[in-house]
Amino acid sequence: MQDSQKTEKQKMLAGELYLSTDPELVIERQRARRLARLYNATTEEELEQRSQILQELFGKLGQNFEVVPPFLCDYGSNIYAGKNLYMNFGCVILDCNTVHIGDNLLCAPYVQIYTAYHPTDPIQRLTHRELELAAPVTIGNNVWIGGGAIICPGVTVGDNTTIGAGSVVVKDIPANVVAAGNPCRVIRSLES
């Protein structure tokens, strides 16, 4: 399929330059923002309503999850989470591409997961402000992400890994390690 035949959404999910102002994408973002607003307005007593909203918002959501409001995302439908998901206050997922989350993810407050980015060429960026790119993010099973950490586009975090608070993850992090820093790097391996 040639690029001219792809929809902007297909381009977005393929990691190609896409037009973020495409009407289909605008409608999908509005849907996600409406659901996030409704979710963030719920109270701790409205657990069933919270559950229903998140199940409608996410592409897939496993059993036993808790996402503490406020929570924000771009589309929601590109987030695929396993069971036992926990996200603390203020987490943000910019899911312009897919975000695959394994089982037993723990996120401290203000974790940010980004698939979206912009061209680095300033002329292209200024001439076509509505053009964006997105790369998928994958987070393995049994991962803990510390407060304020940022997971950047195209990154994979391996199983059983801990990402330290305030880290900026710009490259893949292997399984069974503790990693931290800006840029995030492996601090030590975990014994098996």
Side-chain angles (χ1 to χ4, degrees), residues 65-94:
F65 52 86
E66 183 177 359
V67 177
V68 182
F71 170 76
L72 298 171
C73 63
D74 271 332
Y75 296 93
S77 58
N78 297 321
I79 303 169
Y80 301 92
K83 65 183 179 183
N84 303 320
L85 170 69
Y86 179 79
M87 299 186 113
N88 212 322
F89 298 102
C91 288
V92 174
I93 301 178
L94 301 185

Side-chain angles (χ1 to χ4, degrees), residues 40 76 114 119 136 182 188:
N40 293 331
Y114 301 152
N182 181 4
R188 67 180 169 94

Side-chain angles (χ1 to χ4, degrees), residues 88-122:
N88 212 322
F89 298 102
C91 288
V92 174
I93 301 178
L94 301 185
D95 62 315
C96 300
N97 206 312
T98 58
V99 176
H100 288 275
I101 298 169
D103 294 341
N104 308 311
L105 174 66
L106 295 173
C107 288
Y110 301 103
V111 167
Q112 301 166 61
I113 301 171
Y114 301 152
T115 66
Y117 64 105
H118 295 274
T120 55
D121 178 342

Side-chain angles (χ1 to χ4, degrees), residues 2-182:
Q2 294 178 351
D3 285 352
S4 63
Q5 295 175 330
K6 288 183 179 179
T7 66
E8 297 303 313
K9 182 176 181 176
Q10 289 170 327
K11 291 177 191 176
M12 177 180 80
L13 293 171
E16 300 169 9
L17 275 173
Y18 69 94
L19 186 63
S20 64
T21 56
D22 176 71
E24 177 187 16
L25 296 178
V26 170
I27 288 168
E28 288 190 25
R29 282 194 308 274
Q30 288 172 341
R31 171 196 162 275
R33 289 179 182 152
R34 179 182 61 80
L35 289 170
R37 178 179 41 78
L38 292 171
Y39 182 79
N40 293 331
T42 62
T43 66
E44 48 282 344
E45 290 86 17
E46 298 174 304
L47 297 178
E48 187 171 324
Q49 185 177 1
R50 282 184 175 180
S51 175
Q52 290 171 353
I53 293 169
L54 282 184
Q55 289 177 20
E56 184 178 346
L57 179 61
F58 282 37
K60 176 187 172 245
L61 189 56
Q63 297 176 351
N64 191 31
F65 52 86
E66 183 177 359
V67 177
V68 182
F71 170 76
L72 298 171
C73 63
D74 271 332
Y75 296 93
S77 58
N78 297 321
I79 303 169
Y80 301 92
K83 65 183 179 183
N84 303 320
L85 170 69
Y86 179 79
M87 299 186 113
N88 212 322
F89 298 102
C91 288
V92 174
I93 301 178
L94 301 185
D95 62 315
C96 300
N97 206 312
T98 58
V99 176
H100 288 275
I101 298 169
D103 294 341
N104 308 311
L105 174 66
L106 295 173
C107 288
Y110 301 103
V111 167
Q112 301 166 61
I113 301 171
Y114 301 152
T115 66
Y117 64 105
H118 295 274
T120 55
D121 178 342
I123 294 171
Q124 187 179 38
R125 207 172 44 242
L126 292 171
T127 307
H128 305 287
R129 292 182 67 85
E130 65 280 350
L131 287 178
E132 295 181 4
L133 293 156
V137 168
T138 302
I139 298 171
N141 296 314
N142 313 315
V143 171
W144 175 24
I145 303 175
I150 299 171
I151 311 298
C152 291
V155 165
T156 295
V157 176
D159 293 347
N160 307 312
T161 286
T162 296
I163 303 295
S167 295
V168 179
V169 184
V170 296
K171 293 183 180 177
D172 291 353
I173 302 295
N176 303 304
V177 300
V178 174
N182 181 4

